Amino acid sequence: MSRRSTPPSLRRHKPSRQGVVTLGGRDHYLGHWPDGQLTPPDLIRAAYDALVAEWLAAGRPAAAAPRLTVAELILRFWDGHAVHHYRHPDGTPTSELADFRLSLRPLRRLFADLPAADFSPLKLKALRQSLIDAGLSRGVINQRVGRVRRVFRWAVSDELVPEPVYRALMAVEGLKAGRSAARELPPVRPVPDADVEAALPFLSLPLQALVRVQRLTGMRPGEAARMRAGDLDTAGELWTYRPRRHKTSWRGRERLVLVGPKAQAVLRDVLPSDPEAYVFSPKAGREAWYAARRAARKSKVPPSQACRRKAAPKRQPGAFYTRHAYAAAVARACGKAGVTRWHPNQLRHTRATEVRGTFGLEAAQVVLGHAKLSVTEVYAARDAALAAQVAAATG
């Protein structure tokens, strides 16, 4: 009898004590096979005969390859694409990587074992509804759903899922303002200068300088916080600052910030001599806070309290203020000052509105470093006072 006509053998699987047969690369377990019994029980033999007969009649098909699950797809996307793609030129990860982590958690929680090819628009809507139920805002929900679609777009490009899967997901439109149950956030508005000045006394000296410089230049919070002394060209009447890292650096675009006399006066008080040192230093802020507390002390310092700092503390101040640390410090200062809480990015809106009112929208675009004028319109609010003058004069 040839090898091809010989049916697969029936054998006893010792760990599970069952009869087993391998057909097309896949094991089929047929029931309990008692210890010490050399021949298989009749029930196992009957199940074996029926299964082999069916397999032979089907033409000895090979076992289908296991289908890629959503959890496996997420892992492949992360290891094979995300960690390499979403990083700065110096190799550090961008904020988009952290956003993808948050976006993919609910996808994995709800559909980890689902074959990726079976992910459909209704399942994407179910995922979106879970984000609505979690209380996320409409804008955040649309961003996270968009990242999920980008995972499946990448999967199509690597031939991990069929192309119609991604095309079907694109049919799910983003949530529209006022037309969904998602929480709506108010638009970001310029922060009044009075609120900024009220919060400044409750910030450290480096943070006060950081707020003032950002307000006068319109930089993004991260661009201003990462300013190094060597990045500033102080030769001309107007100083120039070229951030080593900015939002559009991955597109090969250069970011140039012009620093005028008012911002220069602020920077002179905090500019370090080391060109690689960050201008706004958390360590300098802490030392200034220690000095202020010591100066405000009413009684003499006893010898036992002359220096009570730890020799090697586990937590050291960072080299620069992160966006989150900057925003948290401003929020605490607003609470102590008793003013409406504002965010550092609102300073950019304030500067954009100021420039637009004086020099026009195109000037605001140049100051903010936007490639498109439509983006600047989001930041630079319209001048209602100017509209009132026009209405009074010609209306």
Side-chain angles (χ1 to χ4, degrees):
M1 184 179 295
S2 66
R3 176 178 291 272
R4 178 165 180 81
S5 61
T6 303
S9 61
L10 173 62
R11 62 192 188 278
R12 184 176 182 273
H13 187 244
K14 291 183 179 179
S16 64
R17 299 177 180 178
Q18 295 188 75
V20 63
V21 61
T22 302
L23 302 176
R26 179 183 175 187
D27 292 337
H28 298 264
Y29 294 91
L30 307 175
H32 180 64
W33 188 331
D35 292 337
Q37 184 172 337
L38 299 179
T39 58
D42 293 340
L43 290 178
I44 291 181
R45 172 59 68 179
Y48 165 78
D49 292 339
L51 193 62
V52 169
E54 181 180 353
W55 179 70
L56 291 173
R60 299 173 177 259
R67 303 180 71 186
L68 187 74
T69 65
V70 168
E72 293 168 339
L73 174 60
I74 292 174
L75 184 61
R76 292 199 187 187
F77 169 80
W78 194 265
D79 293 340
H81 176 71
V83 295
H84 305 289
H85 182 74
Y86 298 107
R87 61 181 181 180
H88 295 288
D90 60 2
T92 57
T94 67
S95 59
E96 189 69 12
L97 198 63
D99 291 335
F100 259 105
R101 190 187 301 275
L102 293 174
S103 302
L104 297 179
R105 279 177 182 171
L107 175 66
R108 187 178 187 277
R109 185 183 70 250
L110 295 175
F111 303 106
D113 297 328
L114 179 76
D118 293 343
F119 193 75
S120 64
L122 286 179
K123 292 178 175 61
L124 184 61
K125 288 183 177 181
L127 170 66
R128 186 177 65 184
Q129 185 60 46
S130 72
L131 302 180
I132 296 175
D133 296 340
L136 299 182
S137 66
R138 180 180 60 85
V140 172
I141 292 173
N142 284 341
Q143 289 175 351
R144 295 191 178 181
V145 170
R147 291 190 185 96
V148 171
R149 278 196 289 253
R150 281 155 63 184
V151 170
F152 281 87
R153 181 179 66 186
W154 171 84
V156 169
S157 70
D158 269 28
E159 299 186 358
L160 298 176
V161 298
E163 186 270 340
V165 174
Y166 171 67
R167 188 166 4 108
L169 296 180
M170 290 300 297
V172 180
E173 295 183 351
L175 299 175
K176 302 297 189 295
R179 298 185 177 183
S180 71
R183 181 167 59 93
E184 293 286 349
L185 292 181
V188 180
R189 299 295 186 189
V191 55
D193 284 330
D195 289 354
V196 176
E197 293 297 327
L200 284 179
F202 300 97
L203 294 170
S204 65
L205 293 180
L207 280 173
Q208 290 182 30
L210 175 56
V211 168
R212 293 188 186 279
V213 169
Q214 191 193 351
R215 167 65 182 86
L216 292 168
T217 60
M219 284 186 283
R220 298 180 180 91
E223 293 173 346
R226 288 178 175 268
M227 179 185 292
R228 299 176 192 250
D231 299 334
L232 278 167
D233 183 358
T234 61
E237 180 181 352
L238 290 178
W239 294 1
T240 58
Y241 167 47
R242 288 179 169 82
R244 302 183 189 184
R245 176 190 298 180
H246 57 89
K247 189 174 182 179
T248 58
S249 58
W250 65 278
R251 295 181 181 272
R253 294 174 182 164
E254 184 183 35
R255 173 80 166 109
L256 176 65
V257 180
L258 296 177
V259 182
K262 294 181 180 179
Q264 292 174 21
V266 177
L267 287 171
R268 285 192 182 96
D269 295 334
V270 295
L271 203 61
S273 57
D274 182 4
E276 288 301 311
Y278 289 95
V279 175
F280 310 104
S281 167
K283 183 177 181 179
R286 188 180 67 169
E287 294 299 328
W289 181 72
Y290 282 145
R293 292 191 64 188
R294 184 59 59 88
R297 188 182 178 101
K298 301 299 183 181
S299 59
K300 293 184 179 181
V301 179
S304 62
Q305 296 184 12
C307 184
R308 303 183 64 183
R309 303 185 195 178
K310 295 181 179 179
K314 294 182 178 180
R315 297 186 62 183
Q316 295 281 3
F320 58 90
Y321 291 99
T322 65
R323 292 185 297 111
H324 301 294
Y326 181 17
V330 168
R332 288 193 298 269
C334 291
K336 293 177 181 179
V339 297
T340 303
R341 179 176 175 179
W342 52 270
H343 189 276
N345 202 51
Q346 289 180 257
L347 298 172
R348 185 166 164 84
H349 289 253
T350 303
R351 178 61 175 165
T353 302
E354 179 183 57
V355 173
R356 177 177 184 173
T358 306
F359 301 100
L361 184 60
E362 187 175 354
Q365 177 189 8
V366 175
V367 170
L368 297 186
H370 289 150
K372 297 180 179 179
L373 201 62
S374 58
V375 179
T376 308
E377 289 184 325
V378 176
Y379 285 82
R382 299 180 185 277
D383 193 340
L386 179 60
Q389 293 177 12
V390 174
T394 63

